Amino acid sequence: MRESSSQYISSDLENKHDGKRTARGPETDADPQTPVLRISQLDALELDSALEQLLWTQFSQCFQNYRPGLLTPLEPELRALLQLLLWRFTLYSSNATVGQSLLSLRYHNTLSSSPRFRPLSRRQKLSLLLLTAGPRWLQERSHSLLLGLSTGGPMSEGGLLQQGLRKCLNLVSSIAQLTSLINFLVFLRKGHHPVLAERIVGARAVFSKPNVVRDVTYQYMNRELLWHGFAEFLIFLLPLIDTRKLKARVSSIVYGREKTDGAAAPEGQGVFKECGLCGEWPTMPHTAGCQHVFCYYCIKSHSIADAYLTCPKCGVEAGEPKLVKMEVEMIGR
């Protein structure tokens, strides 16, 4: 009797435990087949890149009081070491990078035939690290490595080997960039594997939990998009604006207002004391169609650079520079 009751209790506990596990499973594990937004995957990559740059900036500031260029010879190796540390404490331990964790994403093993979520294996994680950090290190270190192979002139055995390796590296780099471009176009079409290394390894970003809420809100992303769009608009617009003419127009308005208010000095008084462009005492004073005086080199260089030069003081269009003829009266004692 006791044995049957103990068996009943143990089976009841197991059933309750299985019920809790099955009830909690759908809440904690999201369906790997649920598509992830392309912008979320790209945001995760941008956040990872920003974190790496932030770590490198903080690390380099530790050596700012030492002699300049102390970290330059070992910069590729130090960057690779920082990336290794990030990989060890993020992707290797939690199956997700920092950017993916912020966006509630993680890597799913697409090589597994199971429809449920499967984390990456150690081999996949290590391969992802090598395919991410290895090419970057080789690209930054290739120049010094090839210089170490040249022991003679360009026609010597070492020089020919260096040229051959450089051509091979350039070819491999071009092929890698082309395949990365094709992979990105496929990503835009299908929405999987934004990085070529993820496609090679078999890692795909999926949601880490159902009913996910972005930690990086859409309000923040919209603000960033608006700011970047406004900055690109300013970069396009500012070269089209002639700031010199705008400044001259504003100066002419202010100058004319001062003259109408009677606060301006009498005409001709103090005009020869400073150059209208550099503000210094005019050297070889010249005029350019108005009452203001300029240094010869100032007005000549500005007129060559701008065919539609205007006077920055009054806004009059500058003409051909003419030498100022001054009458000097000698007063004897």
Side-chain angles (χ1 to χ4, degrees):
M1 186 70 180
R2 291 179 181 178
E3 184 178 358
S4 61
S5 62
S6 62
Q7 290 179 356
Y8 175 76
I9 292 173
S10 62
S11 63
D12 189 19
L13 290 175
E14 289 179 359
N15 291 332
K16 287 182 179 180
H17 179 70
D18 292 339
K20 289 181 180 180
R21 183 172 55 188
T22 55
R24 190 171 58 246
E27 295 179 1
T28 56
D29 292 337
D31 186 8
Q33 305 302 324
T34 303
V36 180
L37 294 176
R38 296 171 178 83
I39 187 61
S40 296
Q41 301 180 53
L42 295 178
D43 288 343
L45 294 176
E46 289 294 329
L47 289 172
D48 294 335
S49 178
L51 177 62
E52 292 178 9
Q53 186 61 35
L54 178 62
L55 283 178
W56 174 253
T57 302
Q58 296 292 329
F59 178 75
S60 59
Q61 285 180 356
C62 297
F63 300 88
Q64 63 181 355
N65 295 327
Y66 294 86
R67 62 179 179 84
L70 179 63
L71 301 179
T72 303
L74 298 176
E75 182 174 348
E77 287 75 16
L78 293 175
R79 285 182 177 272
L81 179 61
L82 288 178
Q83 193 167 3
L84 175 62
L85 293 176
L86 278 177
W87 170 83
R88 173 60 184 84
F89 294 104
T90 56
L91 180 58
Y92 185 80
S93 59
S94 61
N95 202 58
T97 63
V98 176
Q100 290 177 340
S101 299
L102 290 174
L103 299 176
S104 300
L105 302 177
R106 59 182 174 180
Y107 277 126
H108 169 65
N109 186 2
T110 59
L111 301 181
S112 176
S113 59
S114 175
R116 302 187 63 180
F117 170 77
R118 287 293 181 270
L120 298 181
S121 62
R122 292 184 179 180
R123 182 177 299 178
Q124 287 177 308
K125 294 177 181 178
L126 184 59
S127 301
L128 194 60
L129 171 67
L130 294 177
L131 291 176
T132 304
R136 185 185 306 176
W137 173 84
L138 184 61
Q139 183 179 5
E140 296 176 354
R141 184 55 72 187
S142 60
H143 181 69
S144 59
L145 292 177
L146 292 176
L147 287 179
L149 294 176
S150 59
T151 57
M155 299 306 296
S156 63
E157 184 178 355
L160 294 176
L161 179 61
Q162 180 186 8
Q163 293 178 4
L165 289 176
R166 179 177 285 110
K167 290 181 180 179
C168 291
L169 286 177
N170 292 335
L171 179 61
V172 171
S173 178
S174 301
I175 294 175
Q177 291 177 1
L178 180 60
T179 52
S180 297
L181 176 61
I182 296 174
N183 176 78
F184 189 74
L185 295 177
V186 175
F187 162 73
L188 294 179
R189 177 68 178 84
K190 297 186 175 181
H192 301 303
H193 309 295
V195 182
L196 182 61
E198 297 179 2
R199 188 177 298 275
I200 295 174
V201 171
R204 179 166 60 88
V206 297
F207 288 114
S208 59
K209 52 187 177 181
N211 301 326
V212 62
V213 179
R214 288 168 55 104
D215 290 339
V216 181
T217 60
Y218 284 105
Q219 182 180 3
Y220 171 78
M221 296 304 302
N222 291 334
R223 186 165 62 249
E224 288 294 316
L225 290 175
L226 286 175
W227 168 249
H228 285 295
F230 180 68
E232 291 179 358
F233 175 72
L234 289 181
I235 292 174
F236 171 76
L237 183 63
L238 287 179
L240 303 179
I241 299 177
D242 192 346
T243 56
R244 190 182 294 111
K245 286 186 177 180
L246 183 62
K247 181 180 177 181
R249 181 67 63 183
V250 174
S251 299
S252 64
I253 294 174
V254 176
Y255 183 80
R257 185 177 299 173
E258 288 179 353
K259 293 202 70 172
T260 54
D261 294 342
E267 186 176 357
Q269 182 178 353
V271 173
F272 299 102
K273 291 184 178 180
E274 65 176 13
C275 171
L277 290 170
C278 66
E280 302 294 335
W281 188 274
T283 304
M284 299 175 61
H286 281 67
T287 58
C290 62
Q291 63 176 352
H292 299 97
V293 179
F294 311 92
C295 301
Y296 172 75
Y297 296 104
C298 292
I299 190 62
K300 194 65 178 179
S301 60
H302 281 76
S303 60
I304 292 175
D306 186 7
Y308 303 98
L309 180 67
T310 56
C311 176
K313 297 291 186 180
C314 60
V316 176
E317 185 174 353
E320 188 67 23
K322 296 181 180 179
L323 182 65
V324 176
K325 297 180 179 179
M326 303 177 61
E327 296 181 0
V328 179
E329 182 179 356
M330 303 296 295
I331 302 177
R333 295 182 180 179

